[in-house]
């Protein structure tokens, strides 16, 4: 029997109200996430990719209940976390942590590194100050910093070092799942590879599962075994990382791949680059949400929204071209 996934997300929806108040109705709704479903296995890295505003960060935050969903179901280790009371979820929350994008704003400048890293343990009264300090020192060593750094403040570190502090904080509660929200996009290119390698090493050592959120498909391809591409609040393609690079099936994915440099100069990337802006999620296009930007658009596309269906073994696509014609 196949192992049950660590995380199962089903038909997740988030619509944010605009305007209104206690007595007044909102005058519009931002349709940030529209029925997203996926699973994350134990020890798996699952990528969520898309342009800014596609809803990927909102999905990551809903998984941790930092944002409450409008609808849908989230099961972690077989438990429906949206039905849990605040108290029940507080115990569960230690098993799910987040690494934020910006290593400058995500660390409290008034706290020492020791206080920051050991913060998730503060709620556990069984762990005394000395033990917290020892755990924090051990975690700094794991992420390539020194125990001597415990008494320093965030401003004394570079961007890459701060992100390592954020990673140590996320590891402190011994989580099983980490949502890494654009964890390297604020870093210099030379530092990005170091942090990605660190995340991979830690995954091996601790058996972690990742939801790796990024706008950069090349970063996600490097670290993730399966990837979902989001567009305007929906998943439009979901497949293994190998299939993404060898056989993208959705025109949006193909366009995203044009931004990824290919290692073989004899096989240049021939897909068309992406043009135009992401439509307004307050008033999304009818039918296929990608149709105003799609070079393959035909008469059915603006009328009916294509469902996310299987195109091949484990490869899901939401496009009316998924009828064998393929992308040319
Ligand atoms: Fe393009 Fe139509 Fe496919 Fe949408 S359904 S991606 S508009 S071809």
């Amino acid at each position: 029997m196949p192992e049950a996934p660590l995380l199962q997300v089903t038909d997740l929806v988030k619509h944010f109200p605009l305007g209104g108040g206690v007595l007044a109705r909102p005058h519009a709704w931002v349709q940030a996430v529209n029925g997203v479903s996926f699973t994350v296995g134990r020890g798996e890295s699952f990528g969520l990719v898309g342009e800014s505003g596609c809803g990927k960060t909102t999905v990551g935050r809903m998984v941790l209940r930092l944002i409450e969903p409008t609808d849908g179901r989230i099961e972690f280790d077989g438990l429906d976390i949206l039905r849990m009371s605040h108290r029940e979820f507080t115990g569960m929350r230690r098993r799910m942590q987040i690494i934020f994008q910006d290593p400058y704003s995500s660390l409290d400048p008034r706290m020492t590194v020791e206080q920051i890293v050991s913060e998730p343990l503060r709620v556990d009264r069984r762990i005394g100050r000395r033990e917290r300090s020892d755990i924090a020192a051990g975690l700094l060593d794991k992420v390539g910093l020194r125990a001597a750094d415990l008494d320093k403040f965030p401003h004394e570190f570079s961007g890459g070092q701060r992100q390592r502090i954020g990673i140590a904080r996320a590891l402190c509660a011994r989580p099983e799942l980490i949502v890494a929200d654009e964890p390297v996009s604020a870093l210099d290119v030379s530092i990005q590879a170091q942090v990605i390698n660190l995340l991979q090493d830690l995954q091996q050592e601790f058996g972690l599962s990742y939801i790796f959120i990024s706008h950069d498909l090349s970063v996600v391809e490097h670290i993730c075994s399966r990837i979902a591409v989001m567009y305007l609040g929906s998943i439009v393609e979901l497949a293994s990382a190998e299939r993404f690079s060898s056989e993208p099936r959705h025109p949006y994915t193909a366009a995203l791949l044009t931004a990824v440099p290919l290692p073989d100069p004899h096989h240049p990337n021939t897909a068309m680059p992406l043009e135009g802006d992401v439509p307004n999620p307050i008033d999304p296009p009818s039918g296929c949400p990608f149709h105003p930007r799609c070079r393959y658009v035909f008469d059915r596309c603006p009328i009916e929204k294509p469902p996310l269906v299987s195109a091949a073994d484990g490869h899901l696509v939401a496009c009316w071209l998924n009828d064998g014609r393929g992308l040319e």
Side-chain angles (χ1 to χ4, degrees), residues 6 40-45 176-178 203 207-211:
L6 179 63
V40 181
R42 293 167 201 276
E44 183 185 21
S45 293
E176 291 149 71
L177 175 71
I178 289 183
Q203 180 178 36
L208 295 167
S209 301
Y210 289 133
I211 296 178

Side-chain angles (χ1 to χ4, degrees), residues 8-30:
Q8 177 140 17
V9 172
T10 310
D11 294 332
L12 204 58
V13 173
K14 183 64 188 180
H15 293 173
F16 293 101
L18 272 189
V22 179
L23 297 175
R25 284 188 185 169
H27 52 70
W29 293 86
V30 178

Side-chain angles (χ1 to χ4, degrees), residues 36-161:
V36 161
S37 301
F38 61 89
T39 60
V40 181
R42 293 167 201 276
E44 183 185 21
S45 293
F46 180 79
L48 273 180
V49 184
E51 290 168 286
S52 176
C54 71
K56 57 191 187 304
T57 289
T58 305
V59 169
R61 290 180 188 214
M62 283 195 285
V63 165
L64 301 173
R65 286 188 68 179
L66 298 175
I67 297 175
E68 289 295 328
T70 305
D71 202 359
R73 188 178 174 91
I74 302 172
E75 287 174 69
F76 181 82
D77 203 10
L79 300 169
D80 183 348
I81 64 169
L82 297 181
R83 287 179 180 267
M84 290 181 177
S85 65
H86 181 72
R87 188 175 174 160
E88 287 171 323
F89 185 67
T90 302
M92 176 67 83
R93 181 71 173 71
R94 281 185 56 173
R95 300 170 66 186
M96 314 155 83
Q97 297 290 321
I98 187 166
I99 300 168
F100 292 99
Q101 173 182 1
D102 187 348
Y104 292 91
S105 63
S106 62
L107 305 180
D108 188 332
R110 296 161 301 181
M111 292 170 75
T112 64
V113 170
E114 180 182 333
Q115 289 170 327
I116 290 168
V117 171
S118 64
E119 196 179 15
L121 299 178
R122 286 177 160 253
V123 290
D124 191 338
R125 296 181 182 209
R126 294 166 301 177
I127 302 177
R129 187 160 177 224
R130 170 62 66 90
E131 192 179 350
R132 283 204 307 267
S133 180
D134 290 345
I135 291 171
L139 286 168
L140 283 194
D141 183 54
K142 291 275 179 223
V143 300
L145 298 173
R146 297 168 306 148
D149 294 324
L150 283 173
D151 294 328
K152 294 181 182 173
F153 289 87
H155 73 267
E156 297 177 68
F157 296 89
S158 67
Q161 289 172 322

Side-chain angles (χ1 to χ4, degrees), residues 34 38 199 212 249 266 291 311:
N34 296 307
F38 61 89
L199 289 170
F212 202 96
R249 295 245 183 168
H266 301 297
H291 86 258

